[in-house]
């Protein structure tokens, strides 16, 4: 993933006339924190926080708990955050954190211990005006609430602006839970409109979880002509050409159901099969590296929406482009989360709680503007949408 990010930044940097020195500066990482979290059980886990660039504002980006987390991945994700914030015009820099752990193997007490210890290690490097982490893969408001509480205990800061993605009761923003999925719907809607596609749109969701389920729910509410025909989670999933109800799927999942078994009479489908479905839009909301050089040839969708971070590898992205498919880049498609994180931070700073309608309308403004700017850049400069998103971000990061 790091190689993919570097080579994209180098290519686009050259295209827009940046010098090697300027490109090196864009790639350079400001600070890296690596440590071991020693658990009371005797186990220990490698943990990271990478602060890539804070030219445009404080470092911002999630913390993931996943066995595959390593320094290289966190570096790439931190870099993507700087470009994401810049691409959509947020006054924020980029950072990312992670712990190499399988949280499903931990008890609730151990998860709390891990979360609090993570903050204890990082305490002096983060804070409301320095670096504000948020949820990412396998982290949620419950975990963020523990982290904020730990940070408050350690520093006396009661602004709650030290983290975003908190529960609403603990200072989180209304609309933050749905923000990444909702943002994906806004970006896709805007692009379909620009492409003149107004009829029936079929789509499949890989990763019907925190992000993918909200994409489905918001799409179902707002776009009668969009039809979800397949959805998967890590267990596999379900395929129904007549259309699936996102609401029913989400309720089934909330009851701890496995999508591979939904509903008893549905056609079971694997994650690999979902990627090769004949749909208009393939929504990739699971993990990085879902489409690679190996399976890119199987993709049949005309539009691939990167709702996860880095779900399409560089060779796959090139192969899809060559076949005339449109890859909607992660730094635009999934920016809704960090946009509403910014709104949460603003609310905490002002001791305010905005209505969901106010939050959603600001999210809408950010993403409509960003999609428009990136799309026009791509047509004017004859770039792909991904290149254009990085070009827009680079302009802001270099000018500053
Ligand atoms: N983890 C999310 C992302 O990758 C959100 C980051 C944030 O809200 O700071 O964009």
């Amino acid at each position: 993933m790091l190689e993919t990010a570097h080579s994209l930044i180098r290519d686009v940097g050259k295209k827009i006339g940046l010098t090697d020195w300027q490109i090196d500066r864009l790639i350079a990482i400001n600070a890296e924190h690596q440590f071991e979290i020693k658990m009371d059980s005797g186990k220990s886990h490698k943990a990271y926080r990478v602060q890539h660039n804070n030219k445009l504002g404080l470092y911002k980006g999630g913390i993931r708990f996943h066995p595959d987390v390593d320094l290289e991945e966190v570096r790439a994700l931190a870099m993507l955050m700087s470009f994401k914030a810049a691409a959509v015009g947020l006054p924020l820099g980029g950072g990312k954190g992670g712990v190499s752990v399988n949280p499903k193997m931990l008890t609730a007490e151990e998860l709390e211990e891990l979360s609090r210890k993570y903050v204890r290690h990082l305490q002096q490097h983060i804070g409301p005006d320095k670096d504000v982490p948020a949820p990412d893969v396998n982290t949620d408001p419950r975990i963020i609430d523990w982290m904020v509480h730990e940070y408050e205990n350690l520093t006396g800061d009661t602004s709650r602006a030290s983290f975003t993605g908190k529960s609403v009761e603990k200072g989180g923003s209304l609309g933050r839970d749905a923000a990444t999925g909702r943002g994906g719907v806004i970006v896709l809607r805007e692009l379909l409109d620009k492409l003149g596609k107004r009829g029936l749109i079929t789509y499949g969701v890989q990763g019907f979880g925190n992000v993918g389920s909200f994409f489905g729910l918001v799409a179902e509410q707002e776009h009668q002509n969009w039809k979800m025909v397949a959805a998967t989670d890590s267990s596999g999933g379900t395929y129904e050409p007549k259309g699936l109800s996102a609401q029913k799927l989400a309720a089934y999942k909330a009851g701890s159901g496995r999508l591979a078994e939904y509903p008893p009479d549905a056609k079971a489908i694997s994650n690999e099969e979902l990627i090769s479905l004949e749909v208009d839009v393939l929504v990739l909301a699971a993990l990085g590296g879902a489409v690679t050089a190996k399976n890119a040839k199987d993709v049949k969708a005309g539009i691939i929406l990167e709702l996860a971070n880095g779900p399409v590898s560089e060779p796959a992205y090139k192969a899809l482009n060559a076949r005339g498919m449109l890859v909607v880049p992660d730094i635009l498609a999934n920016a809704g989360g960090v946009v509403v994180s910014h709104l949460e931070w603003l609310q905490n700073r002002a001791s305010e709680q905005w209505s969901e309608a106010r939050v959603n309308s600001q999210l809408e403004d950010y993403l409509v503007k960003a999609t428009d700017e990136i799309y026009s850049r791509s047509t004017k400069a004859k770039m792909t949408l991904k290149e254009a998103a990085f070009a827009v971000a680079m302009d802001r990061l270099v000018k500053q």
Side-chain angles (χ1 to χ4, degrees), residues 26 28 75 94 218 225 243 263 303 317 368:
L26 283 174
R75 280 178 178 156
V218 175
N225 58 325
I303 299 179
Y317 152 74
V368 168

Side-chain angles (χ1 to χ4, degrees), residues 49 59-64 77 81 84 92 95-96 132-137 139 164-165 176 180 307-309 330 334-342:
R49 182 77 185 166
Y59 299 109
K60 190 84 196 75
I63 300 167
R64 63 170 60 181
L77 292 166
M81 281 309 302
K84 189 186 302 187
L92 295 173
K96 198 77 167 202
V132 177
D136 198 77
V137 173
T139 48
T164 59
R176 176 63 183 87
T180 311
L307 266 194
N309 287 310
D330 46 8
N334 72 26
V338 70
V339 169
V340 177
S341 272
H342 176 57

